[in-house]
Amino acid sequence: EIPKRDWSSDVCSSDLNGVVTSWNAGAERIKGYAADEIIGQHFSRFYTERDRSAGAQARALHRAVQEGRCESDSWRVRKDGTLFWANVVIDPIRDESGTLVGFAKITRDITERREAQIALQEAQSQRAHAQKMDALGQLTGGVAHDFNNLLMIVAGQLSKLRRSTGGNEAAKASLDA
């Protein structure tokens, strides 16, 4: 059974460069940072080292501007260093004249949902394997049964040939060989 979870989101905003400018209670709950610890810091600190090195945060902002939104699922890092699987949506924020002024970011901790999906996929894979093995067992059982039927026919014909040789011992010996 999947435990009940508070699926609330964190919401924060950043300037054009990705520096955090606002932070809500959901963000603190999910990521572990108080507002005064994170406002003024770059949002890339929540990315894994690998994603930071690959420039994932810059690509996310660029994609949000180009496509009007960037949504992705990936690993994120909490203040204590633990990882969680996150669904992240980044939307550009524009002023009244349409000028880009920053970004709004919503992060949801979907770790348990991901783990449930992985468990379901593994169960489905195991079920498919069991079905294949069952089908293979039925096939081999059928082949063995058919082969046994053929052997019975051959044995019956061999017995009939033995009887038909009468007293010819040489013929009987060749059939027994």
Side-chain angles (χ1 to χ4, degrees):
E1 179 177 310
I2 299 173
K4 300 293 181 220
R5 174 128 178 112
D6 175 10
W7 292 101
S8 64
S9 303
D10 92 13
V11 178
C12 70
S13 61
S14 71
D15 66 12
L16 292 174
N17 298 315
V19 174
V20 177
T21 57
S22 71
W23 193 251
N24 76 350
E28 183 173 345
R29 189 173 40 257
I30 291 173
K31 294 186 180 137
Y33 291 94
D36 62 348
E37 294 176 289
I38 205 66
I39 292 177
Q41 302 292 316
H42 197 274
F43 79 94
S44 64
R45 78 177 320 140
F46 311 119
Y47 284 67
T48 64
E49 182 59 43
R50 181 179 179 183
D51 285 346
R52 276 195 304 270
S53 296
Q57 67 280 7
R59 280 195 315 277
L61 293 180
H62 179 75
R63 192 168 137 213
V65 171
Q66 295 301 309
E67 298 176 18
R69 169 175 273 207
C70 175
E71 183 171 358
S72 64
D73 294 348
S74 58
W75 291 111
R76 290 294 183 264
V77 182
R78 291 187 173 93
K79 180 180 179 180
D80 66 6
T82 59
L83 297 176
F84 66 100
W85 191 250
N87 170 262
V88 180
V89 177
I90 301 173
D91 289 305
I93 300 171
R94 300 185 183 277
D95 66 13
E96 307 80 38
S97 66
T99 303
L100 181 66
V101 294
F103 297 93
K105 187 171 76 56
I106 300 171
T107 303
R108 292 177 187 89
D109 180 349
I110 59 169
T111 305
E112 291 177 359
R113 180 170 57 179
R114 179 178 187 262
E115 289 170 354
Q117 287 172 333
I118 289 170
L120 177 62
Q121 289 169 344
E122 288 173 0
Q124 288 171 336
S125 176
Q126 289 173 353
R127 180 176 176 227
H129 179 72
Q131 287 174 332
K132 286 179 191 175
M133 295 306 291
D134 183 49
L136 181 60
Q138 289 179 15
L139 176 66
T140 56
V143 169
H145 180 74
D146 290 347
F147 186 71
N148 190 42
N149 287 344
L150 290 173
L151 284 177
M152 293 301 291
I153 292 169
V154 170
Q157 291 300 317
L158 186 59
S159 178
K160 187 176 176 183
L161 276 172
R162 273 195 203 109
R163 285 192 306 272
S164 69
T165 59
N168 188 338
E169 294 301 321
K172 282 184 182 181
S174 69
L175 291 174
D176 290 336

